Amino acid sequence: MRVTNGVSTRKRRKAIKRKVEGSWGTRHTSFKIAHQTYVQANEYAYIGRKQKKREFRKLWIARINSACRPLGITYSRLVNGLKKKNIQINRKMLSELAINQPKEFAKIVEQIKTK
């Protein structure tokens, strides 16, 4: 008796179509185009996970810089001072301090400014 692959093929194709369900036009009906859509979406998702990290770092730096300037110091001088004083605090936490606890952030800046 001849063995066919129809059931497993249909199952695999339905799984791909389910993953691109919200797409417009033939992107969710035609298997070939649906598969291309799925592959491209996964590539964009992978790239996006890397870009997200860059974007957040840029945001944190901008927030820190805007919080530093009224206190009389620039971002680059602050980071340099942190390294020299051996204060290990990352940009994410500095940004959170600058937004939520400006007095604590000001104390850190004062530590850097005093020689």
Side-chain angles (χ1 to χ4, degrees), residues 6-99:
V7 175
S8 56
T9 301
R10 179 68 42 225
K11 185 178 177 185
R12 188 180 74 245
R13 289 182 179 181
K14 279 175 75 173
I16 293 287
K17 283 185 178 183
R18 246 183 265 117
K19 289 175 182 171
V20 294
E21 216 170 41
S23 299
W24 193 82
T26 55
R27 284 176 176 267
H28 76 280
T29 54
S30 164
F31 170 73
K32 185 176 181 180
I33 296 171
H35 186 261
Q36 290 170 355
T37 301
Y38 173 70
V39 168
Q40 186 64 58
N42 280 342
E43 286 177 11
Y44 283 138
Y46 178 81
I47 292 165
R49 287 192 295 275
K50 310 298 174 235
Q51 289 173 340
K52 183 174 151 187
K53 293 166 182 65
R54 291 178 223 155
E55 292 299 318
F56 270 109
R57 186 180 167 99
K58 279 167 47 178
L59 176 68
W60 297 329
I61 290 171
R63 284 177 176 173
I64 295 166
N65 194 20
S66 65
C68 282
R69 291 197 178 257
L71 300 172
I73 192 169
T74 61
Y75 167 78
S76 61
R77 291 181 194 274
L78 175 72
V79 172
N80 186 32
L82 288 170
K83 284 194 171 106
K84 284 182 180 174
K85 297 267 184 172
N86 203 18
I87 300 172
Q88 295 181 338
I89 182 168
N90 63 20
R91 286 161 182 83
K92 181 179 180 180
M93 290 302 112
L94 269 175
S95 170
E96 287 298 315
L97 278 175
I99 293 168

